[in-house]
Amino acid sequence: MRSEKNKTPLDLVTQHQNGLIHTFQFAGKAFLFDRSTHSLFALESMPSSTGMDDASLTEEISQLSKKGFFLASDPDSAPDNRVFKSFCLMMTRQCNFACTYCFEGQSSVSPQPYITPETALKAFRWIKKISPERKRIEADFFGGEPLLYFDQVKEIIEQSEALTKETKQEYIFSLTTNASLLTPDRLEFLNNHHISLIVSLDGEEAYQNKCRRFGNRQGTFSEVWPSIVQLMKTRDSGYYIRGTYTHQTLSFADQVKWMYEHGIQKISFEPAVSPNSDLGIQEQDLPRIKQEYEKLAAWYITQKQADPALSFYHFELDLPNGVCVEKLMTSCGAGVEYLSLAPDGSLYPCHQFDGNQAYCLGNIHEDSLDLEMVERFRHMTHLSNKTACATCWAKYLCGGGCLANNLMMNGSLETPFQIGCEIQKMRLEAALAVQGILSATVK
């Protein structure tokens, strides 16, 4: 629901300056994005650089505003009714890899090396008390490498199925893995129990081995690729391959193509976030990254038409089904909807805060929860409170960025990581153009 006030459109220059509309050019085509309704329009040409002063464009937008577009106002701040509904199970902080960009690092030591089934089930009973109306609880086995403790993972899954009868809550699991320990028998178990898989792979052998290595600096590709091939043979869905690009490995468009050519259809690629200048994306990398997204989008448009099953996660915007105000305003659920559970039972806002005692929210063994800290995260993750995002055209597609990345790169939860913002905006322009061009092609 949108406010009934301020429905008269502002002049287009002001709308543009306030981020209410956004014009951009992609692959030789011009587009206009209406933030208030998440509507995308194709333009015959880009408006002049002096402002949105084209008379015909002004008249066309004026006519469209009478039909409910270009409201010149943001959605109301929807009531914040978020409750806890998902866990990151930090199964272990240990890993058999020593990836150069890993946020967990190689020095994590814990008296309790893994989450026991008793701790996990206690957490599920705890969340039943905290969020009694939830019918489904999502949980991701994470790490470190969770398959180092597969027996415990297996027991948690099996016991949760019995726990459902007690709590009346269904437990939906996923597992994030480097695939090196994904043996056929383990894969069979995960398939039989419908466990979604997120598998880390940066691309072909040289690309993978650049950053994803064992502790002895040996490459990992030869250990993981056979398991990924086996995974693709045993299921058509319920998994995706997640890559990471760094300052040293920027040619991710070619890696997405390579993955697809080798049978992978569900793909995601994220930039490394690191204060290490050899790994983290630098400002001088941004033009190259923009070129990579343009290159990837051009290929994706052609390939998607031939193979609708292809999915690049960051291009899959759902514009046709409209917008939900509550989701727009509260896309990050860290510390409010989402919790990370440590092996000792400690609770953190998300996996990237794991082990940071300054942001520990409590402990399920002590039945404790810092409600003041929860409310702090509720405030910080609500988009209406992110003043730095107020005039950004992309804020409702982005949600305001990642608090953990802000803290890592700026030392402040609320100061946006600017390079991350720029990457997000260029990626969203590519995604909008992809959706616009594909929709026009279908028609």
Side-chain angles (χ1 to χ4, degrees):
M1 181 179 295
R2 297 184 180 84
S3 174
E4 292 299 316
K5 60 184 179 180
N6 296 329
K7 278 199 170 183
T8 303
L10 302 172
D11 68 274
L12 299 186
V13 174
T14 303
Q15 280 188 314
H16 200 267
Q17 291 171 343
N18 290 340
L20 293 165
I21 60 176
H22 175 64
T23 56
F24 65 99
Q25 200 157 8
F26 192 91
K29 298 182 183 297
F31 297 93
L32 186 149
F33 178 67
D34 171 22
R35 190 176 80 187
S36 67
T37 61
H38 273 193
S39 301
L40 183 68
F41 300 88
L43 302 176
E44 292 184 359
S45 62
M46 282 291 288
S48 67
S49 59
T50 58
M52 305 287 292
D53 55 4
D54 182 275
S56 61
L57 179 59
T58 302
E59 174 59 26
E60 188 170 357
I61 288 180
S62 178
Q63 292 301 315
L64 286 167
S65 70
K66 296 175 183 178
K67 299 179 180 180
F69 299 100
F70 304 102
L71 301 180
S73 62
D74 285 331
D76 287 338
S77 296
D80 191 347
N81 298 318
R82 290 177 290 173
V83 297
F84 291 115
K85 63 180 183 180
S86 60
F87 277 116
C88 170
L89 300 178
M90 186 60 68
M91 200 62 207
T92 179
R93 293 165 180 154
Q94 300 170 1
C95 190
N96 57 335
F97 282 17
C99 302
T100 58
Y101 50 65
C102 180
F103 72 89
E104 186 66 32
Q106 303 307 316
S107 59
S108 297
V109 178
S110 174
Q112 173 58 46
Y114 59 86
I115 292 179
T116 65
E118 292 76 18
T119 295
L121 266 68
K122 193 168 186 177
F124 293 153
R125 288 188 173 97
W126 176 86
I127 205 170
K128 171 64 177 179
K129 292 190 296 182
I130 299 296
S131 304
E133 301 304 316
R134 288 291 304 176
K135 301 301 182 185
R136 302 179 69 183
I137 301 298
E138 299 173 357
D140 179 40
F141 294 104
F142 202 79
E145 174 48 55
L147 291 183
L148 285 169
Y149 292 96
F150 177 73
D151 289 344
Q152 287 74 24
V153 168
K154 181 179 179 181
E155 190 173 345
I156 290 169
I157 293 169
E158 291 175 336
Q159 290 193 26
S160 72
E161 293 171 353
L163 184 64
T164 293
K165 297 178 181 178
E166 173 190 327
T167 63
K168 309 302 181 186
Q169 290 180 324
E170 181 184 9
Y171 303 100
I172 310 299
F173 291 103
S174 59
L175 186 145
T176 299
T177 178
N178 62 33
S180 64
L181 304 176
L182 191 61
T183 58
D185 59 322
R186 292 174 174 182
L187 180 58
E188 182 179 12
F189 174 85
L190 296 170
N191 288 347
N192 289 341
H193 289 266
H194 310 290
I195 310 302
S196 298
L197 293 174
I198 301 95
V199 180
S200 299
L201 178 75
D202 286 354
E204 57 188 316
E205 187 164 6
Y207 208 83
Q208 165 84 355
N209 292 344
K210 180 74 174 178
C211 296
R212 299 190 63 79
R213 302 187 292 235
F214 291 109
N216 62 5
R217 300 185 63 81
Q218 293 297 310
T220 59
F221 181 87
S222 62
E223 295 295 321
V224 306
W225 183 243
S227 297
I228 293 174
V229 171
Q230 184 64 24
L231 167 64
M232 292 188 294
K233 288 180 179 178
T234 62
R235 57 167 80 179
D236 296 324
S237 60
Y239 76 94
Y240 72 86
I241 306 299
R242 183 193 186 281
T244 300
Y245 62 88
T246 73
H247 173 64
Q248 298 178 346
T249 53
L250 293 174
S251 57
F252 59 88
D254 287 340
Q255 301 313 309
V256 173
K257 295 179 187 179
W258 182 90
M259 289 181 182
Y260 179 75
E261 290 166 358
H262 288 77
I264 300 171
Q265 292 181 308
K266 314 300 181 186
I267 306 167
S268 166
F269 251 90
E270 295 280 1
V273 178
S274 171
N276 183 338
S277 59
D278 288 336
L279 296 171
I281 303 302
Q282 306 299 304
E283 188 173 358
Q284 63 265 29
D285 296 330
L286 295 178
R288 168 66 186 280
I289 292 172
K290 183 175 179 62
Q291 290 175 359
E292 288 294 307
Y293 280 118
E294 290 174 345
K295 178 180 177 181
L296 179 59
W299 170 83
Y300 187 80
I301 289 166
T302 300
Q303 202 60 53
K304 183 78 170 178
Q305 290 171 317
D307 181 8
L310 170 63
S311 173
F312 181 67
Y313 177 79
H314 302 291
F315 288 171
E316 299 293 332
L317 297 179
D318 188 17
L319 297 180
N321 289 323
V323 298
C324 170
V325 172
E326 187 171 358
K327 288 183 179 180
L328 292 179
M329 304 299 289
T330 59
S331 60
C332 175
V336 187
E337 294 179 309
Y338 178 76
L339 289 168
S340 181
L341 178 69
D344 67 355
S346 295
L347 298 166
Y348 297 93
C350 81
H351 58 279
Q352 292 199 74
F353 288 95
D354 177 66
N356 188 333
Q357 292 302 311
Y359 297 100
C360 182
L361 295 173
N363 190 295
I364 57 104
H365 294 306
E366 301 168 0
D367 197 22
S368 61
L369 182 64
D370 188 337
L371 295 177
E372 185 176 335
M373 182 76 79
V374 170
E375 289 308 307
R376 182 184 174 194
F377 272 84
R378 184 182 300 277
H379 177 85
M380 287 187 295
T381 58
H382 199 284
L383 196 50
S384 64
N385 300 318
K386 297 187 177 187
T387 56
C389 304
T391 60
C392 179
W393 67 267
K395 67 179 185 178
Y396 296 128
L397 295 172
C398 163
C402 173
L403 300 187
N405 288 349
N406 294 348
L407 183 64
M408 180 191 301
M409 301 305 294
N410 295 327
S412 165
L413 291 171
E414 298 182 79
T415 303
F417 170 42
Q418 196 58 45
I419 288 177
C421 291
E422 294 305 312
I423 293 174
Q424 179 73 305
K425 285 186 284 189
M426 65 177 66
R427 186 162 64 185
L428 285 169
E429 284 187 347
L432 287 167
V434 164
Q435 296 299 314
I437 294 171
L438 285 175
S439 297
T441 303
V442 170
K443 292 177 182 178

